[in-house]
Amino acid sequence: MTILDEIKPTRRQRLYDLVRDAGIDVSHWETTKGNSSSAASNPKYCYNWSFVRDDVVVLNLWHQEMEETEGVVRCALNPRETARQDTCVRVARAQQMDLALRQAKMAHLPIRVIINAGARKKASGNTSQVKHRLLDSVEWSVESYDTLTGHCTLARGKPQPVFIDQFTAWAEGFESPKKKTVTTEVTERCSKVRRQVLERANGYCEYCKSPGLNTPTGQIFLETHHVIPLSEGGPDKPDNVVALCPNHHREAHHGATQDSIRQQLLAHLKTIA
Ligand SMILES: [Zn+2]
Ligand SMILES: [Zn+2]
């Protein structure tokens, strides 16, 4: 069963309830005549595509517009383009959604997604019919937002760091090390140092300057390496750790050139200290 299958809504829930469950204040949905059932169908709100509070953004997305690759569910959308092509009230809803995406991107706000299933509007004239909906329990994040075009990609889950190394990759299950507990310990002890080094390397091997590998999740992979090994008393500090491409990492450990690589890396670390 794919993640997409798992998050497919199978029952009809009211938008009002889901928006409230996502943490948005819905008290103003109540009309002057107001009881809660009329609040839920208040046309001023109940057809909106996005809802914003200062610390959360709630978006309505279509299940059939989501895609799953390598275990990550994404949704690409461009409400600004929709606003350009559409008519009347939908323009305002689309513009509001574009603004919500921009706010989420700039303020790094978590996104709660209400997943809709049903008949999506195709041409102008007919309206979309939501058959089922649910509030996704997992937070989404903005993976990319093009301020020029309004094109946006949302990904299900917390935002991923751009640069990763072998420990992150293990932790995420790309490759499973035998001694899981040991790895976790090591990973936690120096994760801050590794992050600093990966940021400093900026995606390029600090030995040969060639770019790291692109991962299926859009991150850049390099391996972190202690120039003077911890076993030889080398410190676990950024001035003793480098980011290397996998080839040069192996060479630094096993190659006939390991001594010269070590000297060159030490010299390199001195120049950037
Ligand atoms: Zn290299
Ligand atoms: Zn190493």
Side-chain angles (χ1 to χ4, degrees), residues 166 224-226 249 253:
Q166 68 271 33
T224 45
H225 168 70
H226 290 90
H249 191 201
H253 279 277

Side-chain angles (χ1 to χ4, degrees), residues 109-229:
L109 298 179
I111 297 173
R112 299 296 309 272
V113 169
I114 294 170
I115 303 175
N116 295 292
R120 181 83 166 93
K121 176 185 189 293
K122 290 231 168 60
S124 50
N126 59 337
T127 53
S128 299
Q129 290 290 331
V130 174
K131 206 162 150 228
H132 298 130
R133 58 166 78 93
L134 63 77
L135 176 64
D136 194 351
S137 57
V138 172
E139 281 177 7
W140 289 55
S141 54
V142 179
E143 199 168 68
S144 66
Y145 177 85
D146 187 335
T147 45
L148 287 177
T149 63
H151 184 80
C152 180
T153 305
L154 301 169
R156 187 173 188 257
K158 295 236 154 65
Q160 303 284 319
V162 179
F163 304 118
I164 61 164
D165 67 1
Q166 68 271 33
F167 299 105
T168 333
W170 281 342
E172 288 170 5
F174 293 173
E175 200 181 318
S176 57
K178 295 256 153 44
K179 294 176 186 165
K180 181 82 176 156
T181 48
V182 174
T183 307
T184 309
E185 232 169 73
V186 171
T187 310
E188 273 164 17
R189 184 160 54 87
C190 57
S191 70
K192 201 174 146 208
V193 173
R194 289 165 37 229
R195 258 204 315 277
Q196 281 179 24
V197 170
L198 290 170
E199 290 289 328
R200 180 186 73 204
N202 199 30
Y204 293 89
C205 171
E206 290 188 288
Y207 183 70
C208 70
K209 312 295 173 208
S210 64
L213 303 175
N214 294 313
T215 72
T217 49
Q219 295 162 297
I220 297 175
F221 176 89
L222 285 170
E223 297 185 2
T224 45
H225 168 70
H226 290 90
V227 180
I228 298 172

